[in-house]
Amino acid sequence: MRGRPTMSDVAARAGVSRALVSLVFRDRPGASASTRARVLAAAAEIGYRPDGAARLLARGRSRTVGVVTTVGEPYEAGLLESIYDEAGRLGYDVLLSARTATHPEADAVGELLAHRCEALVLLGPHLDDAVLADLGRRAAVAVVGRAAPCTGTGSATVDALRTADDDGLRQAVDHLVGLGHRVIVHVDGGDGPNAAVRRDGYRAAMTAHGLADHIRVLPGGYDERAGIAAARTLLADPAPPSAVVAANDRCALALLDTLRRSGVDVPGRVSVVGYNDDRLAGLAHIDLTTVRQDADALARGAVRAVAARLDDGGTAPADRLLPPHLVVRGTTGPPPEVVAVSRAPSRR
């Protein structure tokens, strides 16, 4: 026999019709016990296995979650591990598609739908609210790292799981102010998901500490290029800040590397804070202070949300907000002037 055994092959081996074989494997009435045993024995002899995916599709189900991610994004790689684990626990398969500089997010989504994914989990999507709302009418959709989209009437059509990013920036600024910093710059995430929320959180925190006159936002992004560009801007500044809060860890790591290669002592001269707590952040030679998001809870929550819609008939969308947590490591310390005062000899 060539190729994968088929139901027709089982029927020929058992000496029955294909329709009867179909009844046996669908566990439907119409076949005697002896016939059922003969069909199952024939299937075992030739190595036939029922195509579970085909049966699901015949019932209008694929039990497949399509995930759109960004190539080279370490934070999203951590999300994927939990997505696979939770999907498997709930009996779902996972199909990935990625957005790149030459492969737009809309194309990635379209490919997943073309492969009959009945649910979508979009990691940090850039799609317009109207597009997301339309997707929510075609499939079960959850977005991670972005607020729930609203239609013109204000009703959300998809589930959303995100971190309270404004609070994350507040924690970062609070930490730096507590160390004695006053001139604190924020390198923002450009037009990336939740960049505006983080930007607003920085401004609100600086204002709350009476530092509104020192607010300074450098245009950036969620990648290394933004960190390098920000570092070069600060290196050329005759009055640079004593602390920087970056849009995310990728931006922070590139900024940190550029400063150190230029001879700038971190944190002796400049303190640096990132956002996400990627795996690289905790390495001993990096030791980045950063704001941690609960990636596991975000990822598992997204899978549970789409599974609940499909399996339990849930329709009420959820916009779940998770708390962030500041992780203090070695890239933050007191500003130079505070260190100088602490080291000055006392006068009697």
Side-chain angles (χ1 to χ4, degrees), residues 81-83 85-86 89 161 295-305:
E81 289 190 18
S82 296
I83 286 173
D85 188 57
E86 189 66 17
R89 190 183 71 81
L161 296 97
D296 183 69
L298 290 168
R300 292 181 186 276
V303 175
R304 291 186 195 120

Side-chain angles (χ1 to χ4, degrees), residues 77-167:
L79 291 171
L80 289 176
E81 289 190 18
S82 296
I83 286 173
Y84 269 105
D85 188 57
E86 189 66 17
R89 190 183 71 81
L90 296 175
Y92 280 84
D93 293 327
V94 174
L95 187 64
L96 294 182
S97 190
R99 53 177 166 259
T100 70
T102 58
H103 189 243
E105 186 173 22
D107 290 353
V109 169
E111 289 164 3
L112 291 174
L113 292 175
H115 281 85
R116 302 192 182 186
C117 292
E118 58 180 344
L120 296 174
V121 172
L122 310 180
L123 306 181
H126 293 254
L127 298 172
D128 292 340
D129 276 6
V131 175
L132 288 174
D134 179 63
L135 285 175
R137 289 186 283 270
R138 301 169 60 189
V141 179
V143 296
V144 176
R146 172 172 165 172
C150 295
T151 63
T153 58
S155 59
T157 58
V158 305
D159 296 287
L161 296 97
R162 56 196 171 99
T163 300
D165 287 331
D166 52 348
D167 183 53

Side-chain angles (χ1 to χ4, degrees), residues 277-298:
D277 196 23
D278 295 341
R279 290 178 178 177
L280 292 177
L283 295 180
H285 68 287
I286 296 175
D287 205 28
L288 178 68
T289 294
T290 185
V291 178
R292 175 181 296 164
Q293 301 193 69
D294 192 341
D296 183 69
L298 290 168

Side-chain angles (χ1 to χ4, degrees), residues 33 69 183 188 201 207 214 253 288 300 309:
T69 186
V183 184
D188 75 4
T207 301
H214 294 293
L253 291 175
L288 178 68
R300 292 181 186 276
R309 283 181 175 271

Side-chain angles (χ1 to χ4, degrees), residues 103-324:
H103 189 243
E105 186 173 22
D107 290 353
V109 169
E111 289 164 3
L112 291 174
L113 292 175
H115 281 85
R116 302 192 182 186
C117 292
E118 58 180 344
L120 296 174
V121 172
L122 310 180
L123 306 181
H126 293 254
L127 298 172
D128 292 340
D129 276 6
V131 175
L132 288 174
D134 179 63
L135 285 175
R137 289 186 283 270
R138 301 169 60 189
V141 179
V143 296
V144 176
R146 172 172 165 172
C150 295
T151 63
T153 58
S155 59
T157 58
V158 305
D159 296 287
L161 296 97
R162 56 196 171 99
T163 300
D165 287 331
D166 52 348
D167 183 53
L169 265 290
R170 178 194 61 76
Q171 291 183 32
V173 171
D174 287 353
H175 167 64
L176 293 169
V177 171
L179 292 171
H181 293 274
R182 295 294 179 269
V183 184
I184 304 168
V185 166
H186 175 48
V187 182
D188 75 4
D191 61 355
N194 276 11
V197 177
R198 297 179 189 182
R199 196 160 48 236
D200 291 345
Y202 158 77
R203 289 193 175 110
M206 291 288 285
T207 301
H209 284 289
L211 301 174
D213 291 343
H214 294 293
I215 290 175
R216 182 183 178 190
V217 177
L218 293 181
Y222 289 146
D223 58 18
E224 291 80 7
R225 289 176 299 178
I228 294 170
R232 289 173 177 169
T233 297
L234 297 177
L235 288 168
D237 193 333
S242 64
V244 182
V245 182
N248 69 351
D249 285 353
R250 288 180 65 186
C251 176
L253 291 175
L255 185 147
L256 181 66
D257 180 67
T258 305
L259 291 178
R260 284 177 170 169
R261 287 175 182 271
S262 300
V264 177
D265 181 14
V266 179
R269 179 60 191 87
V270 180
S271 287
V272 177
V273 181
Y275 202 102
N276 282 344
D277 196 23
D278 295 341
R279 290 178 178 177
L280 292 177
L283 295 180
H285 68 287
I286 296 175
D287 205 28
L288 178 68
T289 294
T290 185
V291 178
R292 175 181 296 164
Q293 301 193 69
D294 192 341
D296 183 69
L298 290 168
R300 292 181 186 276
V303 175
R304 291 186 195 120
V306 294
R309 283 181 175 271
L310 294 169
D311 298 338
D312 303 330
T315 56
D319 193 355
R320 186 179 175 193
L321 201 61
L322 277 65

